[in-house]
């Protein structure tokens, strides 16, 4: 697979730009605002082989949504001695600020800059509930920060950069379906390993899907995704068999997308997600995200299929369920799920746009 999708040279875009444009980029734009949307993995990313570079064990494939955008503004602050971050209008501290500062350090290193930044981010997706808030958050931050610091990055380079903040953010750079390449497992150098792991769009012409999202618990998770990944990778006897089967799932998923077979896409996505949760349940100690309401929704999806509706479930690291179905059946699926969990909330998402700068915001 790597041979079929070689990573473009890191300096290719800069080499093609006029010197005046490169000079403007080095000088920086001062501030920029970007918006990005979350994505839901249909073939899961679970477990890292390199935590510092955020390199996954397996390839993954996702669908970017048209709901829950994150909007992030980055403004350089030459006189400041530290970065500042506000989330939803409130100052952020602790681990959240540390992650953003570490990410901005990567951007500054690439740009050869030292100015600190003021980051203002507004997230419309519940944070820490398994709804991919970090994907939209770091995708928006990557695009805005790269522009503010004057980096002239193409989409592939944005994807690599976003990956360093949150692995799934690499996929939110792209609209619709996207494939995140894990990269060569035995790269000769750190640079080669970094360049080899990026996302790219996956064509899915002829599909008209929707994703019905059942939020059964919007609160933060008791076990973070990072901790759950480490524990699963280190202790679960089911992890390696799942990782091997995930490669086959990905190959079959890509074939199903090419032939616009939504039923096959859903079947593969459901088994991949259930397999991932099985690896967590087998961890020592077990990681259990599935709540009673989760199982109730899964039962309602099974009943929908018995009634002739093409509906298949997937779950990320959390109790909330996403149901893949044809757009024409989305309202029916949503009604069924609402009846199953009347205390939860149900939303309908469709394939959404990739991360982008807001027009007129860059200076």
């Amino acid at each position: 697979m790597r041979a079929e999708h070689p990573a473009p040279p890191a300096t290719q875009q800069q080499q093609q730009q006029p010197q005046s444009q490169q000079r403007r980029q080095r000088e920086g734009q001062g501030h920029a605002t970007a918006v990005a949307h979350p994505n839901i993995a249909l073939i899961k990313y679970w477990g890292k082989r390199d935590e510092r570079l955020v390199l996954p064990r397996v390839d993954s494939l996702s669908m970017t949504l048209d709901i829950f955008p994150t909007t992030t503004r980055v403004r350089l602050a030459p006189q400041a001695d530290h970065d500042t971050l506000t989330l939803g209008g409130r100052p952020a501290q602790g681990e959240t600020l540390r992650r953003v500062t570490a990410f901005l350090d990567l951007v500054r290193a690439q740009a050869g800059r030292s100015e600190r930044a003021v980051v203002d981010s507004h997230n419309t997706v519940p944070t820490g509930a398994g709804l991919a808030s970090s994907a939209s958050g770091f995708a928006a931050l990557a695009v805005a920060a790269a522009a503010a610091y004057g980096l002239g990055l193409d989409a592939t380079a944005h994807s690599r950069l976003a990956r360093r903040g949150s692995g799934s953010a690499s996929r939110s750079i792209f609209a619709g379906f996207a494939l995140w390449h894990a990269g060569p497992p035995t790269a000769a150098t750190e640079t080669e390993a970094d360049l080899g792991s990026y996302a790219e769009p996956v064509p899915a012409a002829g599909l008209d899907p929707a994703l019905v999202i059942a939020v059964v618990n919007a609160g933060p998770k008791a076990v973070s995704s990072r901790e759950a990944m480490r524990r699963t990778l280190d202790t679960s006897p089911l992890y390696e068999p799942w990782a091997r089967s995930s490669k086959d799932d990905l190959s079959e998923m890509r074939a199903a997308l090419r032939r616009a077979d939504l039923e096959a896409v859903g079947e593969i996505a459901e088994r991949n997600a259930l397999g991932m949760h099985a690896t967590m349940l087998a961890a020592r100690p077990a990681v259990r995200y599935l709540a009673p309401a989760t199982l109730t929704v899964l039962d309602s999806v099974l009943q929908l299929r018995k009634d002739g509706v093409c509906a298949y479930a997937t779950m990320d690291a959390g109790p909330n369920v996403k149901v893949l179905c044809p757009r024409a059946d989305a309202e029916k699926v949503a009604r069924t799920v609402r009846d199953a969990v009347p205390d939860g909330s149900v939303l309908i998402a469709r394939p959404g746009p990739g991360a982008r700068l807001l027009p007129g915001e860059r200076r």
Side-chain angles (χ1 to χ4, degrees):
M1 184 174 293
R2 300 289 81 77
E4 295 176 1
H5 304 283
T11 59
Q12 179 178 358
Q13 185 184 30
Q14 287 85 345
Q15 291 171 351
Q16 295 174 347
Q17 293 168 343
Q19 290 185 356
S20 60
Q21 184 177 350
Q22 293 183 40
R23 183 170 60 253
R24 286 196 301 272
Q25 290 170 348
R26 288 194 299 268
E27 291 169 354
Q29 305 295 341
H31 70 77
T33 302
V35 62
H37 289 72
N39 68 80
I40 297 300
L42 303 179
I43 300 296
K44 301 298 185 184
Y45 140 60
W46 193 247
K48 302 183 183 79
R49 73 177 192 274
D50 186 314
E51 290 203 4
R52 191 179 67 82
L53 293 178
V54 194
L55 301 176
R57 287 289 306 276
V58 297
D59 297 345
S60 59
L61 191 148
S62 66
M63 187 179 92
T64 299
L65 309 182
D66 65 348
I67 62 174
F68 291 147
T70 296
T71 303
T72 299
R73 185 175 190 265
V74 176
R75 177 175 59 82
L76 303 192
Q79 305 305 316
D81 59 4
H82 63 276
D83 298 312
T84 59
L85 169 66
T86 58
L87 291 175
R90 297 182 178 183
Q93 300 293 333
E95 177 64 12
T96 301
L97 177 60
R98 186 204 65 78
R99 286 183 68 186
V100 169
T101 295
F103 185 82
L104 291 173
D105 285 341
L106 293 172
V107 178
R108 285 186 279 261
Q110 287 192 33
R113 306 285 293 269
S114 60
E115 301 98 321
R116 295 294 171 174
V118 176
V119 179
D120 182 21
S121 186
H122 292 266
N123 204 1
T124 59
V125 59
T127 301
L131 290 170
S133 60
S134 64
S136 58
F138 275 99
L141 180 60
V143 173
Y149 280 98
L151 288 174
L153 302 185
D154 61 14
T156 301
H158 276 134
S159 178
R160 289 194 192 99
L161 178 60
R163 187 198 79 229
R164 299 293 298 273
S166 173
S168 56
S170 65
R171 301 185 304 244
S172 278
I173 296 297
F174 299 99
F177 295 91
L179 167 63
W180 175 18
H181 298 287
T186 56
T189 65
E190 184 174 286
T191 298
E192 181 183 345
D194 178 56
L195 290 176
S197 185
Y198 58 95
E200 65 177 354
V202 175
L207 279 184
D208 192 16
L211 204 66
V212 176
I213 301 173
V215 182
V216 301
N217 186 342
K221 296 174 289 192
V223 181
S224 71
S225 295
R226 288 189 173 193
E227 171 56 28
M229 283 186 191
R230 292 189 190 110
R231 191 186 306 176
T232 303
L233 196 61
D234 291 344
T235 70
S236 175
L238 299 184
Y239 182 80
E240 289 300 334
W242 173 80
R244 289 193 296 271
S245 69
S246 191
K247 295 180 181 179
D248 294 332
D249 288 344
L250 177 63
S251 178
E252 293 181 31
M253 175 74 77
R254 297 192 71 179
L257 289 171
R258 283 194 295 269
R259 64 177 186 267
D261 186 345
L262 186 61
E263 185 170 1
V265 169
E267 181 180 345
I268 297 162
E270 186 171 282
R271 78 189 187 205
N272 188 267
L274 290 173
M276 182 187 77
H277 280 271
T279 69
M280 290 186 268
L281 290 170
R284 319 284 171 82
V287 177
R288 183 175 70 86
Y289 288 124
L290 306 183
T294 307
L295 301 180
T296 299
V297 175
L298 293 178
D299 286 343
S300 73
V301 172
L302 285 175
Q303 186 59 51
L304 280 165
R305 290 209 292 271
K306 290 179 181 178
D307 295 339
V309 179
C310 176
Y312 291 87
T314 185
M315 298 87 64
D316 290 324
N320 304 303
V321 183
K322 300 88 180 177
V323 186
L324 187 70
C325 64
R327 183 190 295 245
D329 291 331
E331 292 292 346
K332 179 177 182 178
V333 171
R335 286 194 301 270
T336 300
V337 172
R338 286 191 188 98
D339 290 343
V341 284
D343 294 334
S345 62
V346 178
L347 309 100
I348 298 175
R350 297 174 181 85
R356 62 201 185 279
L357 286 172
L358 293 184
E361 287 292 332
R362 188 169 57 181
R363 298 288 186 269

